[in-house]
Amino acid sequence: MKLVRYGAAGSERPGLIDASGQLRDLSSHIESLDAAQLTHAALEALRAIDPETLAPVEAGVRLGVPLAGIGKIVAIGLNYSDHAAEAGLPVPQEPIVFMKATSSLSGPNDPVRIPPDARKCDWEVELGIVIGKTARHVSRETARQHIAGYVLVNDVSEREWQMERGGTWDKGKASDTFCPLGPWLVTADDIPDPQNLAMWLRVNGELKQSGNTRTMIFDCETIVSYCSRFMTLHPGDVVITGTPPGVGMGMTPPQFLAAGDTMTLGIDGLGTQTLRVEAYEHAAQEA
């Protein structure tokens, strides 16, 4: 099942994608697509709805972040050995954990804005795990019971702020628009093997990243179990699982994003994103 939120930013409505690819409105059944809809019972109720009874939505409507009220975004670094090599860093013996701010969330086709004074903005296609059941000190063997589904994520990063400014990685990961998420939340039953998903990213049409989740150092169940030892994972939390090689920082010479660039990216079964890069001063500013 592919669940979405669509409409203007701040006014999104719940929807689903039917078997033909048609977006249909779910607001006659639920008010919002949020953590309350991620329980086993709630997802079963949504699966029982005949999509033909739902009003179709016109093509071209904006898609938002496919889940409202995300509580936290937990991220795993250097989770592909070849990406660690291109970054010049050792393969981690345990998952590297950092956080992305929820204020960095944006829709799957919304602009990515380069912050003032940023010089080394980079791309990272990643698989995201959506938590559906509270996970606290769970075993790897039971971890999948706590996963509601999966999403496509671009872990946009400012490498100077991440690597050269001291402290943790978080400040290079947390800027507004640095976490495009979606287009869909795909429920776990539709992704029987999350460790065999092809993934790719292009910048201005040029292929930069091409990989597969089977080369992750720590798989999804291990990541959920590991993170649950250090923090409680609540329904609606998102855990992003690392990126394959091909990021701009690892190229010779390094390549970074500039205003006017376009990123396109995708993961098998999870849809695609198209992201125009803008300079911050060209973006609409909040009062």
Side-chain angles (χ1 to χ4, degrees), residues 44-55:
E44 284 300 307
L46 293 178
R47 288 189 192 96
I49 298 169
D50 180 359
E52 294 293 328
T53 66
L54 303 175

Side-chain angles (χ1 to χ4, degrees), residues 113-163:
R113 299 170 184 165
I114 296 178
D117 304 320
R119 300 188 302 117
K120 298 181 179 181
C121 288
D122 205 347
W123 54 83
E124 293 190 12
V125 58
E126 303 203 10
L127 172 67
I129 301 167
V130 180
I131 301 299
K133 178 182 177 182
T134 300
R136 184 183 297 112
H137 303 290
V138 302
S139 68
R140 183 190 179 280
E141 290 70 28
T142 61
R144 189 148 188 181
Q145 300 172 16
H146 300 264
I147 297 174
Y150 303 91
V151 288
L152 170 64
V153 185
N154 188 351
D155 177 19
V156 182
S157 308
E158 212 296 346
R159 300 301 191 187
E160 181 184 27
W161 299 356
Q162 176 190 357
M163 309 296 289

Side-chain angles (χ1 to χ4, degrees), residues 1-284:
M1 185 165 53
K2 297 180 177 73
L3 301 172
V4 303
R5 294 170 64 244
Y6 71 92
S11 302
E12 293 91 346
R13 297 163 65 94
L16 62 76
I17 307 296
D18 70 17
S20 71
Q22 171 68 52
L23 170 58
R24 294 183 177 272
D25 182 72
L26 266 175
S27 58
S28 60
H29 291 267
I30 58 175
E31 292 185 6
S32 178
L33 183 56
D34 56 21
Q37 304 304 324
L38 300 180
T39 67
H40 178 77
L43 290 176
E44 284 300 307
L46 293 178
R47 288 189 192 96
I49 298 169
D50 180 359
E52 294 293 328
T53 66
L54 303 175
V57 178
E58 64 183 24
V61 68
R62 173 188 175 271
L63 296 180
V65 176
L67 184 68
I70 292 171
K72 58 180 172 287
I73 307 165
V74 184
I76 305 300
L78 301 178
N79 196 29
Y80 292 71
S81 57
D82 36 11
H83 173 54
E86 73 174 351
L89 296 169
V91 173
Q93 299 303 302
E94 295 190 32
I96 294 172
V97 179
F98 61 94
M99 309 293 285
K100 287 181 78 80
T102 55
S103 54
S104 69
L105 287 163
S106 60
N109 301 304
D110 291 344
V112 168
R113 299 170 184 165
I114 296 178
D117 304 320
R119 300 188 302 117
K120 298 181 179 181
C121 288
D122 205 347
W123 54 83
E124 293 190 12
V125 58
E126 303 203 10
L127 172 67
I129 301 167
V130 180
I131 301 299
K133 178 182 177 182
T134 300
R136 184 183 297 112
H137 303 290
V138 302
S139 68
R140 183 190 179 280
E141 290 70 28
T142 61
R144 189 148 188 181
Q145 300 172 16
H146 300 264
I147 297 174
Y150 303 91
V151 288
L152 170 64
V153 185
N154 188 351
D155 177 19
V156 182
S157 308
E158 212 296 346
R159 300 301 191 187
E160 181 184 27
W161 299 356
Q162 176 190 357
M163 309 296 289
E164 303 174 34
R165 298 287 294 271
T168 67
W169 289 3
D170 300 44
K171 59 178 166 286
K173 301 281 190 171
S175 291
D176 292 356
T177 75
F178 271 26
C179 193
L181 195 147
W184 317 314
L185 190 170
V186 182
T187 52
D189 58 304
D190 275 2
I191 306 292
D193 185 3
Q195 302 308 145
N196 189 24
L197 302 175
M199 54 205 310
W200 55 271
L201 182 145
R202 293 182 173 88
V203 178
N204 300 328
E206 181 180 351
L207 184 65
K208 301 294 187 182
Q209 292 186 274
S210 179
N212 192 292
T213 56
R214 65 173 170 262
T215 66
M216 287 166 57
I217 299 167
F218 306 105
D219 64 17
C220 292
E221 289 86 353
T222 299
I223 288 168
V224 170
S225 173
Y226 184 86
C227 291
S228 79
R229 301 181 201 174
F230 304 100
M231 67 191 81
T232 299
L233 300 175
H234 293 286
D237 288 349
V238 175
V239 183
I240 64 176
T241 59
T243 197
V247 299
M249 175 180 64
M251 295 182 176
T252 306
Q255 299 178 17
F256 297 112
L257 294 167
D261 288 343
T262 297
M263 293 179 282
T264 54
L265 58 146
I267 296 178
D268 282 353
L270 299 182
T272 62
Q273 299 181 0
T274 299
L275 304 160
R276 176 83 171 172
V277 180
E278 294 181 352
Y280 183 85
E281 58 266 28
H282 293 158

